């Protein structure tokens, strides 16, 4: 279930209450006249089944509540109520398959910001991966993958393409390209520093490296793994199962490829630099393609499912003004 808290101008309260009462999947409607001070208005609260949430939020935005008041949404982990059970039963579709597009757009927007924190995490992940590459250490490579925050802007690009939001595409691309470029420059400087103190040496990057040598030798399996990881990561975002993102993070060779490219460049090994760059592009492209196709498929399936809903007044019907 989702909990909606609305600040509604007094003149619009009756219209909003009518909308909430006529939308199947809602329960626990509460109206507090004059309770809001900034912005001034009435506070209206209700619980809604996840599968009915996206349509209801869109209807509230059509009424201009996001402009004249406020719309806040929270996830409820536990609701003990027969009214809530009835609302979930009557709402069309399955909550696990429902996508809250407003929530997804907002989440990817926040994760696609070119910020000091984002660049710091990406640079630290790339430097950790550089240590893993030079030491041919799988543990360090996996750790670096888990630290890397690059899935945020990748998901942002996919979401923006599906939602036709060119500004979010540009924002996400800037975070992705600018973040990796800066992280790789920092990692190259990190490699030069460790070489100067004798912790890195050229023979380490030129060694056979049986564990990490694949990083600069891309093949079709690299793309396939990235594609599958992109599907899993997108599903984890749309279904609010964020724990799956850790598995996605440690399955794709994005950060390690960027690290290997930076270290190889610092030692003028341009063959490895080019190969690592190709690996990086293959992984990034596979994730974006998979994410976009997954969101398009989810959108189409959900529309088809709602189109098959029973007429208003029967269980599972969705009534909208």
């Amino acid at each position: 279930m989702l909990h909606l808290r609305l600040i509604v101008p007094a003149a619009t309260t009756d219209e909003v209450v009518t909308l909430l009462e006529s939308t199947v999947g809602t329960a626990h409607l509460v109206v507090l006249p004059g309770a809001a001070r900034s912005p001034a208005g009435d506070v209206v609260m209700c619980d809604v089944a996840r599968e009915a949430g996206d349509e209801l939020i869109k209807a509230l935005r059509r009424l201009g509540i996001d402009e004249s008041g406020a719309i806040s949404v929270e996830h409820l982990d536990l609701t003990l109520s027969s009214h809530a059970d009835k609302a979930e039963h009557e709402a069309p579709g399955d909550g696990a398959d429902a996508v809250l597009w407003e929530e997804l757009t907002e989440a990817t927007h926040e994760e696609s910001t070119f910020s000091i924190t984002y660049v710091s995490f990406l640079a630290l992940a790339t430097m950790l991966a550089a240590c893993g590459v030079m030491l041919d250490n799988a543990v360090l490579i996996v750790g670096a993958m888990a630290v890397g925050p690059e899935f945020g802007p990748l998901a942002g690009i996919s979401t923006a393409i599906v939602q036709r939001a060119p500004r979010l595409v540009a924002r996400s691309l800037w975070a992705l390209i600018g973040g990796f470029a800066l992280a790789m420059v920092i990692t190259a400087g990190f490699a030069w520093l460790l070489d100067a103190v004798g912790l890195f040496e050229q023979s380490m990057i030129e060694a056979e490296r049986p564990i990490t040598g694949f990083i600069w030798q891309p093949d079709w399996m690299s793309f396939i793994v990235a594609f599958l990881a992109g599907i899993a990561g997108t599903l984890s975002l749309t279904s609010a199962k964020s724990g799956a993102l850790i598995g996605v993070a440690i399955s794709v060779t994005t950060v390690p490829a960027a690290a290997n490219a930076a270290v190889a460049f610092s030692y003028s090994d341009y063959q490895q630099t080019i190969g690592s760059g190709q690996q990086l592009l293959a992984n990034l492209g596979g994730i974006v393609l998979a994410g976009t196709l997954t969101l398009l498929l989810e959108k189409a399936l959900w529309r088809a499912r709602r189109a098959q809903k029973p007429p208003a007044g029967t269980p599972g019907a969705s009534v909208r003004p």
Side-chain angles (χ1 to χ4, degrees), residues 196-267:
V197 298
L199 295 177
F200 280 4
E201 57 184 44
Q202 188 159 353
S203 61
M204 297 170 72
I205 193 69
E206 294 176 348
E208 186 176 346
R209 292 189 289 142
I211 296 176
T212 60
F214 74 95
I215 291 173
W216 63 277
Q217 298 173 354
D219 55 23
W220 277 106
M221 281 304 301
S222 301
F223 180 83
I224 291 172
V225 170
F227 188 85
L228 295 175
I231 295 174
T234 303
L235 289 175
S236 73
L237 287 178
T238 58
S239 64
K241 297 186 181 298
S242 57
L245 282 177
I246 298 298
V248 171
I250 63 176
S251 63
V252 289
T253 317
T254 49
V255 166
N260 199 84
V263 174
F265 182 82
S266 70
Y267 284 108

Side-chain angles (χ1 to χ4, degrees), residues 117-176:
T117 300
Y118 168 79
V119 173
S120 297
F121 270 110
L122 190 56
L124 287 170
T126 309
M127 286 188 285
L128 280 172
C131 294
V133 164
M134 296 298 277
L135 298 174
D136 198 31
N137 188 306
V139 175
L140 291 175
I141 293 295
V142 171
M145 289 176 171
V147 172
E150 72 278 7
F151 190 81
L154 290 170
I157 294 172
S158 297
T159 302
I161 292 173
V162 175
Q163 293 291 82
R164 298 178 183 178
R167 288 186 179 180
L168 182 54
V169 172
R171 182 190 185 98
S172 301
L173 278 173
W174 166 238
L176 189 67

